[in-house]
Amino acid sequence: MSIKDGNYEEVNDEVSVTAESVDLLSSLESFNVRSFGAIGDGNPHPLSSIYTSLEEAREKYPKATSLTDEIDSCAIQAAFDAASKQKIGPNLGGTVFFPSGRYLCNLPLYGLDISVDGDPQAATLVFPEFGEGNPAITVDRSTGKRQVWRNISVVGPGTYDRNVRGVRTAWGSGIKVVNSAMPLFENLQIRHFGWGMDWANSAGHIKLFHTNIEYCWYGVYVSHNSGDYWVDMSTVNQNVFANFATHASSGIEALSMRSSHCGYSPFSFYCEPEPNKLGGSNIFLKDLVLDHVRFEQVGNAAIYSDPSLGANPRVEGIRILDMGFSWDADKGKWLELPDWPRDYAIDIGMALDSPIMIHNDSYPFTKGKVNMMRIREQQASAPVTIIGHGNTADDIEVVKGIKRVTVGSDFVLQQGATYAPQQHLLSRSDRANNRYELNITQDGTTGAGFQLAHLKNGTRTELMYVTDGNTLRFRRPILLDELINPGRSSTALLNPREGAFYVDTSNASYECVRTYIGGRWNRQGAGSAMPTAGSWQRSDYITNTAPTILAGVVTKGWLRLTSGTGNVLGTDWVEDKITI
């Protein structure tokens, strides 16, 4: 590298570094990291190689901590600090540019209000281990515009060996977002950290576009949830333990992930086992949308809430469309962790308040060693709906609460082995105390019934019931504008109310209208002669349909005197006559 009039040009692969050249480069009024002395040749260049004392080095790099600090680290931090002071209008923060190169950084970097751009696919920052939870880069914001970080690769100290499963080789995080920072990350590569990214800001609105996070213990760890995240056309994939992870006191809220990959890992979404802490949210996933996110070659579970230490976080609203799912056990057979369960593709704690909707493509979620999905506690306000082929309602196991599942035309609502009075409510926002309830009930020992009820001001009134035998029962009076065709039955209807009626077909040739009046069934029919067969009840009446006058007497009909199968005139029946 030669220095000419405040510029540089590369003449060969070798870099000659002197204090003079570093001073000259760093004096340029630019946020190009090379202008601040960064070298980026992939080789170590400690401050001691050009400075004799830390005090001398700090004249150029005030944040230097030791002569062992890499020049790249100090120069990049100096560029970050200079850019953070740039003011354009009301906004603070300029853009730092990374030319092609491999920059060795043995100090954590802190970027306040700045954006970053690099030579696409050719600018790489390499970091050592800083310890668990400590980030290589912190992205922060004080005021003004949102930052854009693009076109750099960030590489940590870890290793990845597909033949060694579930071994963590790095502890620090790659990029941590804090405070009010709401950056867009575009075309970033993050590899070989404990956590590829740590979302810990208070403002949410973190965006990943065309970003690749892999070979980390966790790809993205949401340590402090503030909601509204976007991941588009990205790959959070092939991480050692989980692609996305969180804990019950935080959770992941309002993540919209589209046209991306989230597989090749033991767990795609993982919630740690520690129970919710005081003041925590007790959420795993809330308002999650996964649209054409490919869960290809999952080792242990696509979505897993770890209950081993007692955590039971909520899931409130999930939409998964076209998941492209496959078990690693069916393909590569190198991702499954043998000491962890592979029982369900989806295994969650509480489901409540919002529905879970899954739209299958040609590669739906399939059964693990036990079943496809387990919900440890489901409320009726959180129905599960699966659209498309490949699943049945039996694929979903509910341990506690209400199993409310629709798979195609298959609808299940149950609570253990008893009738569950929870309901599907139909309501209007301007009629909060006036709702209608649809319910699936038990009918007998094996059957199912359908129920419609009205809930008004805290009072529930049943309106209609359909039995397992497809008998429709109206529980309230019917007001009709047209004629009614009553039901037909050969047996008395159960649980009648005053005024109930139906067409009785129990006696051949004598169809009767049977009405429930005075606490008993009463039968009235018509015929041209007295019945001579069948079972009848006292007070039944048959109207004569062929009356004639004989000796001044007309037989109007026949009144039943006894209950039973006898049909003798004068004993069981009596003629009802009038004299003309």
Side-chain angles (χ1 to χ4, degrees), residues 199-240:
W199 293 353
N201 66 336
S202 59
H205 295 85
I206 298 173
K207 303 176 180 67
L208 306 186
F209 179 74
H210 200 263
T211 288
N212 180 26
I213 305 175
E214 59 185 359
Y215 307 140
C216 302
W217 182 250
Y218 293 158
V220 173
Y221 185 60
V222 183
S223 61
H224 177 78
N225 171 54
S226 50
D228 291 332
Y229 308 111
W230 290 268
V231 178
D232 286 345
M233 299 180 67
S234 295
T235 302
V236 185
N237 200 67
Q238 200 161 309
N239 290 288
V240 177

mmCIF file of all heavy atoms in Angstrom, residues 199-240:
data_model
loop_
_atom_site.group_PDB
_atom_site.id
_atom_site.type_symbol
_atom_site.label_atom_id
_atom_site.label_comp_id
_atom_site.label_asym_id
_atom_site.label_seq_id
_atom_site.Cartn_x
_atom_site.Cartn_y
_atom_site.Cartn_z
ATOM 1 N N TRP A 199 -31.360 -9.106 20.607
ATOM 2 C CA TRP A 199 -32.334 -8.026 20.506
ATOM 3 C C TRP A 199 -32.712 -7.622 21.929
ATOM 4 O O TRP A 199 -33.489 -8.300 22.596
ATOM 5 C CB TRP A 199 -33.557 -8.471 19.720
ATOM 6 C CG TRP A 199 -33.261 -8.726 18.266
ATOM 7 C CD1 TRP A 199 -32.096 -8.484 17.609
ATOM 8 C CD2 TRP A 199 -34.149 -9.292 17.294
ATOM 9 N NE1 TRP A 199 -32.189 -8.850 16.292
ATOM 10 C CE2 TRP A 199 -33.449 -9.342 16.065
ATOM 11 C CE3 TRP A 199 -35.458 -9.737 17.337
ATOM 12 C CZ2 TRP A 199 -34.022 -9.839 14.896
ATOM 13 C CZ3 TRP A 199 -36.036 -10.245 16.178
ATOM 14 C CH2 TRP A 199 -35.329 -10.281 14.966
ATOM 15 N N ALA A 200 -32.175 -6.485 22.369
ATOM 16 C CA ALA A 200 -32.368 -6.053 23.754
ATOM 17 C C ALA A 200 -32.821 -4.602 23.829
ATOM 18 O O ALA A 200 -32.751 -3.989 24.899
ATOM 19 C CB ALA A 200 -31.057 -6.227 24.532
ATOM 20 N N ASN A 201 -33.290 -4.053 22.719
ATOM 21 C CA ASN A 201 -33.664 -2.641 22.726
ATOM 22 C C ASN A 201 -35.052 -2.435 23.329
ATOM 23 O O ASN A 201 -35.795 -3.385 23.576
ATOM 24 C CB ASN A 201 -33.603 -2.070 21.304
ATOM 25 C CG ASN A 201 -34.633 -2.694 20.380
ATOM 26 O OD1 ASN A 201 -35.093 -3.809 20.616
ATOM 27 N ND2 ASN A 201 -34.997 -1.995 19.317
ATOM 28 N N SER A 202 -35.397 -1.180 23.539
ATOM 29 C CA SER A 202 -36.686 -0.836 24.125
ATOM 30 C C SER A 202 -37.665 -0.295 23.103
ATOM 31 O O SER A 202 -38.783 0.078 23.459
ATOM 32 C CB SER A 202 -36.483 0.218 25.229
ATOM 33 O OG SER A 202 -35.863 1.388 24.690
ATOM 34 N N ALA A 203 -37.253 -0.237 21.845
ATOM 35 C CA ALA A 203 -38.078 0.395 20.814
ATOM 36 C C ALA A 203 -38.545 -0.564 19.734
ATOM 37 O O ALA A 203 -39.303 -0.170 18.844
ATOM 38 C CB ALA A 203 -37.300 1.546 20.161
ATOM 39 N N GLY A 204 -38.144 -1.822 19.803
ATOM 40 C CA GLY A 204 -38.549 -2.770 18.774
ATOM 41 C C GLY A 204 -38.085 -2.351 17.398
ATOM 42 O O GLY A 204 -37.026 -1.763 17.215
ATOM 43 N N HIS A 205 -38.886 -2.712 16.378
ATOM 44 C CA HIS A 205 -38.673 -2.254 15.009
ATOM 45 C C HIS A 205 -37.280 -2.593 14.479
ATOM 46 O O HIS A 205 -36.653 -1.790 13.791
ATOM 47 C CB HIS A 205 -38.940 -0.750 14.898
ATOM 48 C CG HIS A 205 -40.364 -0.395 15.170
ATOM 49 N ND1 HIS A 205 -40.832 -0.185 16.452
ATOM 50 C CD2 HIS A 205 -41.423 -0.226 14.347
ATOM 51 C CE1 HIS A 205 -42.127 0.104 16.410
ATOM 52 N NE2 HIS A 205 -42.513 0.084 15.146
ATOM 53 N N ILE A 206 -36.788 -3.780 14.811
ATOM 54 C CA ILE A 206 -35.549 -4.267 14.225
ATOM 55 C C ILE A 206 -35.907 -5.002 12.946
ATOM 56 O O ILE A 206 -36.850 -5.800 12.914
ATOM 57 C CB ILE A 206 -34.811 -5.191 15.202
ATOM 58 C CG1 ILE A 206 -34.425 -4.424 16.464
ATOM 59 C CG2 ILE A 206 -33.580 -5.802 14.555
ATOM 60 C CD1 ILE A 206 -33.850 -5.297 17.562
ATOM 61 N N LYS A 207 -35.129 -4.749 11.904
ATOM 62 C CA LYS A 207 -35.435 -5.337 10.600
ATOM 63 C C LYS A 207 -34.206 -6.057 10.058
ATOM 64 O O LYS A 207 -33.092 -5.510 10.082
ATOM 65 C CB LYS A 207 -35.875 -4.266 9.605
ATOM 66 C CG LYS A 207 -37.074 -3.431 10.049
ATOM 67 C CD LYS A 207 -37.377 -2.335 9.054
ATOM 68 C CE LYS A 207 -38.568 -1.506 9.492
ATOM 69 N NZ LYS A 207 -38.268 -0.720 10.713
ATOM 70 N N LEU A 208 -34.431 -7.277 9.558
ATOM 71 C CA LEU A 208 -33.385 -8.006 8.848
ATOM 72 C C LEU A 208 -33.842 -8.204 7.411
ATOM 73 O O LEU A 208 -34.950 -8.676 7.166
ATOM 74 C CB LEU A 208 -33.136 -9.378 9.472
ATOM 75 C CG LEU A 208 -32.823 -9.471 10.973
ATOM 76 C CD1 LEU A 208 -32.473 -10.907 11.328
ATOM 77 C CD2 LEU A 208 -31.705 -8.546 11.360
ATOM 78 N N PHE A 209 -32.979 -7.842 6.483
ATOM 79 C CA PHE A 209 -33.288 -8.053 5.071
ATOM 80 C C PHE A 209 -32.070 -8.672 4.404
ATOM 81 O O PHE A 209 -30.965 -8.133 4.488
ATOM 82 C CB PHE A 209 -33.652 -6.738 4.383
ATOM 83 C CG PHE A 209 -33.954 -6.894 2.913
ATOM 84 C CD1 PHE A 209 -35.141 -7.477 2.497
ATOM 85 C CD2 PHE A 209 -33.040 -6.481 1.955
ATOM 86 C CE1 PHE A 209 -35.413 -7.646 1.145
ATOM 87 C CE2 PHE A 209 -33.305 -6.640 0.611
ATOM 88 C CZ PHE A 209 -34.501 -7.219 0.198
ATOM 89 N N HIS A 210 -32.284 -9.803 3.763
ATOM 90 C CA HIS A 210 -31.198 -10.488 3.048
ATOM 91 C C HIS A 210 -29.990 -10.660 3.969
ATOM 92 O O HIS A 210 -28.838 -10.379 3.607
ATOM 93 C CB HIS A 210 -30.815 -9.703 1.785
ATOM 94 C CG HIS A 210 -30.091 -10.553 0.774
ATOM 95 N ND1 HIS A 210 -28.725 -10.569 0.667
ATOM 96 C CD2 HIS A 210 -30.565 -11.421 -0.146
ATOM 97 C CE1 HIS A 210 -28.360 -11.400 -0.294
ATOM 98 N NE2 HIS A 210 -29.461 -11.936 -0.806
ATOM 99 N N THR A 211 -30.277 -11.116 5.177
ATOM 100 C CA THR A 211 -29.244 -11.297 6.196
ATOM 101 C C THR A 211 -29.115 -12.774 6.536
ATOM 102 O O THR A 211 -30.117 -13.494 6.591
ATOM 103 C CB THR A 211 -29.578 -10.463 7.444
ATOM 104 O OG1 THR A 211 -29.374 -9.078 7.134
ATOM 105 C CG2 THR A 211 -28.720 -10.833 8.628
ATOM 106 N N ASN A 212 -27.892 -13.196 6.789
ATOM 107 C CA ASN A 212 -27.617 -14.601 7.042
ATOM 108 C C ASN A 212 -26.964 -14.747 8.411
ATOM 109 O O ASN A 212 -25.906 -14.167 8.663
ATOM 110 C CB ASN A 212 -26.684 -15.144 5.951
ATOM 111 C CG ASN A 212 -26.370 -16.610 6.155
ATOM 112 O OD1 ASN A 212 -27.142 -17.342 6.756
ATOM 113 N ND2 ASN A 212 -25.224 -17.049 5.665
ATOM 114 N N ILE A 213 -27.630 -15.497 9.318
ATOM 115 C CA ILE A 213 -27.081 -15.757 10.650
ATOM 116 C C ILE A 213 -26.996 -17.267 10.827
ATOM 117 O O ILE A 213 -28.023 -17.951 10.809
ATOM 118 C CB ILE A 213 -27.962 -15.132 11.750
ATOM 119 C CG1 ILE A 213 -28.163 -13.634 11.511
ATOM 120 C CG2 ILE A 213 -27.338 -15.365 13.120
ATOM 121 C CD1 ILE A 213 -29.108 -12.972 12.494
ATOM 122 N N GLU A 214 -25.797 -17.777 11.010
ATOM 123 C CA GLU A 214 -25.643 -19.231 11.099
ATOM 124 C C GLU A 214 -24.407 -19.583 11.939
ATOM 125 O O GLU A 214 -23.572 -18.739 12.247
ATOM 126 C CB GLU A 214 -25.520 -19.851 9.708
ATOM 127 C CG GLU A 214 -24.360 -19.337 8.887
ATOM 128 C CD GLU A 214 -24.343 -19.884 7.479
ATOM 129 O OE1 GLU A 214 -25.236 -20.679 7.134
ATOM 130 O OE2 GLU A 214 -23.422 -19.522 6.722
ATOM 131 N N TYR A 215 -24.344 -20.866 12.316
ATOM 132 C CA TYR A 215 -23.221 -21.428 13.061
ATOM 133 C C TYR A 215 -23.042 -20.785 14.432
ATOM 134 O O TYR A 215 -21.926 -20.778 14.972
ATOM 135 C CB TYR A 215 -21.913 -21.329 12.266
ATOM 136 C CG TYR A 215 -21.979 -21.913 10.880
ATOM 137 C CD1 TYR A 215 -21.347 -21.280 9.816
ATOM 138 C CD2 TYR A 215 -22.672 -23.098 10.628
ATOM 139 C CE1 TYR A 215 -21.407 -21.794 8.536
ATOM 140 C CE2 TYR A 215 -22.741 -23.630 9.350
ATOM 141 C CZ TYR A 215 -22.108 -22.966 8.305
ATOM 142 O OH TYR A 215 -22.178 -23.485 7.036
ATOM 143 N N CYS A 216 -24.095 -20.219 14.992
ATOM 144 C CA CYS A 216 -24.069 -19.689 16.354
ATOM 145 C C CYS A 216 -24.837 -20.659 17.268
ATOM 146 O O CYS A 216 -25.564 -21.538 16.798
ATOM 147 C CB CYS A 216 -24.712 -18.300 16.401
ATOM 148 S SG CYS A 216 -23.919 -17.079 15.315
ATOM 149 N N TRP A 217 -24.695 -20.505 18.579
ATOM 150 C CA TRP A 217 -25.505 -21.315 19.496
ATOM 151 C C TRP A 217 -26.978 -20.949 19.325
ATOM 152 O O TRP A 217 -27.808 -21.819 19.079
ATOM 153 C CB TRP A 217 -25.036 -21.093 20.925
ATOM 154 C CG TRP A 217 -25.761 -21.908 21.949
ATOM 155 C CD1 TRP A 217 -26.634 -21.465 22.884
ATOM 156 C CD2 TRP A 217 -25.656 -23.334 22.149
ATOM 157 N NE1 TRP A 217 -27.100 -22.500 23.657
ATOM 158 C CE2 TRP A 217 -26.511 -23.667 23.228
ATOM 159 C CE3 TRP A 217 -24.936 -24.345 21.520
ATOM 160 C CZ2 TRP A 217 -26.662 -24.961 23.691
ATOM 161 C CZ3 TRP A 217 -25.084 -25.650 21.996
ATOM 162 C CH2 TRP A 217 -25.937 -25.948 23.060
ATOM 163 N N TYR A 218 -27.288 -19.670 19.471
ATOM 164 C CA TYR A 218 -28.584 -19.119 19.080
ATOM 165 C C TYR A 218 -28.343 -18.182 17.898
ATOM 166 O O TYR A 218 -27.439 -17.339 17.948
ATOM 167 C CB TYR A 218 -29.223 -18.287 20.193
ATOM 168 C CG TYR A 218 -29.669 -19.020 21.434
ATOM 169 C CD1 TYR A 218 -29.816 -18.314 22.631
ATOM 170 C CD2 TYR A 218 -29.962 -20.369 21.434
ATOM 171 C CE1 TYR A 218 -30.243 -18.947 23.796
ATOM 172 C CE2 TYR A 218 -30.385 -21.008 22.588
ATOM 173 C CZ TYR A 218 -30.517 -20.306 23.767
ATOM 174 O OH TYR A 218 -30.938 -20.933 24.910
ATOM 175 N N GLY A 219 -29.181 -18.251 16.894
ATOM 176 C CA GLY A 219 -29.075 -17.289 15.809
ATOM 177 C C GLY A 219 -29.469 -15.901 16.276
ATOM 178 O O GLY A 219 -28.679 -14.953 16.208
ATOM 179 N N VAL A 220 -30.712 -15.761 16.769
ATOM 180 C CA VAL A 220 -31.204 -14.510 17.344
ATOM 181 C C VAL A 220 -31.731 -14.821 18.733
ATOM 182 O O VAL A 220 -32.536 -15.737 18.909
ATOM 183 C CB VAL A 220 -32.320 -13.883 16.490
ATOM 184 C CG1 VAL A 220 -32.931 -12.691 17.201
ATOM 185 C CG2 VAL A 220 -31.793 -13.477 15.118
ATOM 186 N N TYR A 221 -31.260 -14.043 19.715
ATOM 187 C CA TYR A 221 -31.769 -14.187 21.079
ATOM 188 C C TYR A 221 -32.511 -12.909 21.446
ATOM 189 O O TYR A 221 -31.942 -11.804 21.409
ATOM 190 C CB TYR A 221 -30.632 -14.420 22.063
ATOM 191 C CG TYR A 221 -31.088 -14.689 23.484
ATOM 192 C CD1 TYR A 221 -31.911 -15.777 23.768
ATOM 193 C CD2 TYR A 221 -30.694 -13.877 24.537
ATOM 194 C CE1 TYR A 221 -32.329 -16.042 25.056
ATOM 195 C CE2 TYR A 221 -31.110 -14.133 25.835
ATOM 196 C CZ TYR A 221 -31.929 -15.219 26.089
ATOM 197 O OH TYR A 221 -32.342 -15.474 27.369
ATOM 198 N N VAL A 222 -33.803 -13.026 21.762
ATOM 199 C CA VAL A 222 -34.595 -11.870 22.176
ATOM 200 C C VAL A 222 -34.541 -11.821 23.696
ATOM 201 O O VAL A 222 -35.328 -12.464 24.384
ATOM 202 C CB VAL A 222 -36.041 -11.964 21.656
ATOM 203 C CG1 VAL A 222 -36.821 -10.707 22.028
ATOM 204 C CG2 VAL A 222 -36.057 -12.162 20.144
ATOM 205 N N SER A 223 -33.580 -11.062 24.206
ATOM 206 C CA SER A 223 -33.396 -10.990 25.660
ATOM 207 C C SER A 223 -34.332 -9.972 26.294
ATOM 208 O O SER A 223 -34.665 -10.079 27.476
ATOM 209 C CB SER A 223 -31.944 -10.637 25.991
ATOM 210 O OG SER A 223 -31.590 -9.365 25.461
ATOM 211 N N HIS A 224 -34.759 -8.970 25.498
ATOM 212 C CA HIS A 224 -35.712 -7.970 26.002
ATOM 213 C C HIS A 224 -36.691 -7.668 24.879
ATOM 214 O O HIS A 224 -36.353 -7.019 23.893
ATOM 215 C CB HIS A 224 -34.990 -6.699 26.437
ATOM 216 C CG HIS A 224 -35.918 -5.615 26.893
ATOM 217 N ND1 HIS A 224 -36.514 -5.617 28.144
ATOM 218 C CD2 HIS A 224 -36.397 -4.512 26.260
ATOM 219 C CE1 HIS A 224 -37.290 -4.552 28.264
ATOM 220 N NE2 HIS A 224 -37.246 -3.859 27.132
ATOM 221 N N ASN A 225 -37.907 -8.151 25.033
ATOM 222 C CA ASN A 225 -38.897 -8.005 23.969
ATOM 223 C C ASN A 225 -39.514 -6.615 23.982
ATOM 224 O O ASN A 225 -39.960 -6.126 25.018
ATOM 225 C CB ASN A 225 -40.006 -9.053 24.159
ATOM 226 C CG ASN A 225 -41.166 -8.831 23.219
ATOM 227 O OD1 ASN A 225 -40.971 -8.753 22.012
ATOM 228 N ND2 ASN A 225 -42.366 -8.716 23.766
ATOM 229 N N SER A 226 -39.520 -5.978 22.802
ATOM 230 C CA SER A 226 -40.252 -4.717 22.654
ATOM 231 C C SER A 226 -41.100 -4.707 21.392
ATOM 232 O O SER A 226 -41.709 -3.697 21.062
ATOM 233 C CB SER A 226 -39.283 -3.524 22.653
ATOM 234 O OG SER A 226 -38.229 -3.712 21.742
ATOM 235 N N GLY A 227 -41.150 -5.829 20.703
ATOM 236 C CA GLY A 227 -42.133 -6.021 19.649
ATOM 237 C C GLY A 227 -41.815 -5.370 18.322
ATOM 238 O O GLY A 227 -40.922 -4.535 18.198
ATOM 239 N N ASP A 228 -42.564 -5.800 17.311
ATOM 240 C CA ASP A 228 -42.481 -5.272 15.951
ATOM 241 C C ASP A 228 -41.116 -5.539 15.338
ATOM 242 O O ASP A 228 -40.264 -4.650 15.231
ATOM 243 C CB ASP A 228 -42.810 -3.779 15.914
ATOM 244 C CG ASP A 228 -44.261 -3.490 16.210
ATOM 245 O OD1 ASP A 228 -45.099 -4.364 15.938
ATOM 246 O OD2 ASP A 228 -44.558 -2.390 16.714
ATOM 247 N N TYR A 229 -40.930 -6.781 14.894
ATOM 248 C CA TYR A 229 -39.701 -7.194 14.235
ATOM 249 C C TYR A 229 -40.046 -7.709 12.839
ATOM 250 O O TYR A 229 -41.091 -8.333 12.639
ATOM 251 C CB TYR A 229 -39.004 -8.303 15.025
ATOM 252 C CG TYR A 229 -38.784 -8.000 16.491
ATOM 253 C CD1 TYR A 229 -39.491 -8.702 17.472
ATOM 254 C CD2 TYR A 229 -37.870 -7.041 16.904
ATOM 255 C CE1 TYR A 229 -39.288 -8.436 18.825
ATOM 256 C CE2 TYR A 229 -37.662 -6.773 18.257
ATOM 257 C CZ TYR A 229 -38.374 -7.478 19.210
ATOM 258 O OH TYR A 229 -38.175 -7.221 20.543
ATOM 259 N N TRP A 230 -39.123 -7.461 11.906
ATOM 260 C CA TRP A 230 -39.328 -7.935 10.535
ATOM 261 C C TRP A 230 -38.084 -8.692 10.080
ATOM 262 O O TRP A 230 -36.957 -8.214 10.259
ATOM 263 C CB TRP A 230 -39.560 -6.769 9.577
ATOM 264 C CG TRP A 230 -40.856 -6.064 9.757
ATOM 265 C CD1 TRP A 230 -42.042 -6.325 9.124
ATOM 266 C CD2 TRP A 230 -41.124 -4.967 10.629
ATOM 267 N NE1 TRP A 230 -43.023 -5.466 9.558
ATOM 268 C CE2 TRP A 230 -42.490 -4.611 10.478
ATOM 269 C CE3 TRP A 230 -40.351 -4.229 11.533
ATOM 270 C CZ2 TRP A 230 -43.070 -3.576 11.192
ATOM 271 C CZ3 TRP A 230 -40.929 -3.191 12.245
ATOM 272 C CH2 TRP A 230 -42.282 -2.877 12.069
ATOM 273 N N VAL A 231 -38.311 -9.847 9.474
ATOM 274 C CA VAL A 231 -37.230 -10.628 8.876
ATOM 275 C C VAL A 231 -37.705 -11.034 7.494
ATOM 276 O O VAL A 231 -38.661 -11.806 7.356
ATOM 277 C CB VAL A 231 -36.882 -11.871 9.726
ATOM 278 C CG1 VAL A 231 -35.793 -12.682 9.047
ATOM 279 C CG2 VAL A 231 -36.454 -11.467 11.126
ATOM 280 N N ASP A 232 -37.049 -10.518 6.457
ATOM 281 C CA ASP A 232 -37.465 -10.783 5.081
ATOM 282 C C ASP A 232 -36.285 -11.311 4.266
ATOM 283 O O ASP A 232 -35.161 -10.786 4.352
ATOM 284 C CB ASP A 232 -37.979 -9.506 4.405
ATOM 285 C CG ASP A 232 -39.354 -9.085 4.897
ATOM 286 O OD1 ASP A 232 -40.020 -9.920 5.531
ATOM 287 O OD2 ASP A 232 -39.749 -7.933 4.666
ATOM 288 N N MET A 233 -36.573 -12.340 3.476
ATOM 289 C CA MET A 233 -35.600 -12.891 2.533
ATOM 290 C C MET A 233 -34.245 -13.124 3.206
ATOM 291 O O MET A 233 -33.179 -12.788 2.676
ATOM 292 C CB MET A 233 -35.450 -11.960 1.322
ATOM 293 C CG MET A 233 -36.744 -11.781 0.537
ATOM 294 S SD MET A 233 -36.593 -10.691 -0.886
ATOM 295 C CE MET A 233 -35.490 -11.676 -1.920
ATOM 296 N N SER A 234 -34.310 -13.703 4.407
ATOM 297 C CA SER A 234 -33.104 -13.912 5.205
ATOM 298 C C SER A 234 -32.970 -15.381 5.586
ATOM 299 O O SER A 234 -33.900 -16.173 5.412
ATOM 300 C CB SER A 234 -33.143 -13.029 6.458
ATOM 301 O OG SER A 234 -33.099 -11.654 6.113
ATOM 302 N N THR A 235 -31.834 -15.699 6.127
ATOM 303 C CA THR A 235 -31.554 -17.059 6.549
ATOM 304 C C THR A 235 -31.060 -17.031 7.983
ATOM 305 O O THR A 235 -29.908 -16.674 8.237
ATOM 306 C CB THR A 235 -30.486 -17.702 5.634
ATOM 307 O OG1 THR A 235 -30.949 -17.681 4.284
ATOM 308 C CG2 THR A 235 -30.216 -19.130 6.034
ATOM 309 N N VAL A 236 -31.939 -17.349 8.907
ATOM 310 C CA VAL A 236 -31.544 -17.587 10.297
ATOM 311 C C VAL A 236 -31.617 -19.102 10.434
ATOM 312 O O VAL A 236 -32.660 -19.671 10.752
ATOM 313 C CB VAL A 236 -32.463 -16.852 11.285
ATOM 314 C CG1 VAL A 236 -31.948 -17.007 12.718
ATOM 315 C CG2 VAL A 236 -32.555 -15.375 10.923
ATOM 316 N N ASN A 237 -30.514 -19.743 10.179
ATOM 317 C CA ASN A 237 -30.532 -21.145 9.752
ATOM 318 C C ASN A 237 -29.239 -21.823 10.204
ATOM 319 O O ASN A 237 -28.205 -21.173 10.346
ATOM 320 C CB ASN A 237 -30.619 -21.160 8.223
ATOM 321 C CG ASN A 237 -31.125 -22.454 7.657
ATOM 322 O OD1 ASN A 237 -32.282 -22.798 7.853
ATOM 323 N ND2 ASN A 237 -30.277 -23.145 6.928
ATOM 324 N N GLN A 238 -29.308 -23.094 10.448
ATOM 325 C CA GLN A 238 -28.128 -23.916 10.704
ATOM 326 C C GLN A 238 -27.327 -23.406 11.905
ATOM 327 O O GLN A 238 -26.111 -23.291 11.860
ATOM 328 C CB GLN A 238 -27.235 -23.985 9.450
ATOM 329 C CG GLN A 238 -26.281 -25.169 9.460
ATOM 330 C CD GLN A 238 -25.757 -25.496 8.074
ATOM 331 O OE1 GLN A 238 -26.540 -25.633 7.142
ATOM 332 N NE2 GLN A 238 -24.467 -25.636 7.931
ATOM 333 N N ASN A 239 -28.053 -23.060 12.967
ATOM 334 C CA ASN A 239 -27.395 -22.701 14.211
ATOM 335 C C ASN A 239 -27.312 -23.918 15.126
ATOM 336 O O ASN A 239 -28.114 -24.851 15.015
ATOM 337 C CB ASN A 239 -28.121 -21.533 14.858
ATOM 338 C CG ASN A 239 -27.918 -20.254 14.063
ATOM 339 O OD1 ASN A 239 -26.839 -19.672 14.061
ATOM 340 N ND2 ASN A 239 -28.949 -19.817 13.348
ATOM 341 N N VAL A 240 -26.365 -23.903 16.025
ATOM 342 C CA VAL A 240 -25.997 -25.124 16.741
ATOM 343 C C VAL A 240 -27.137 -25.643 17.597
ATOM 344 O O VAL A 240 -27.377 -26.855 17.654
ATOM 345 C CB VAL A 240 -24.741 -24.877 17.594
ATOM 346 C CG1 VAL A 240 -24.376 -26.129 18.403
ATOM 347 C CG2 VAL A 240 -23.573 -24.457 16.713
#
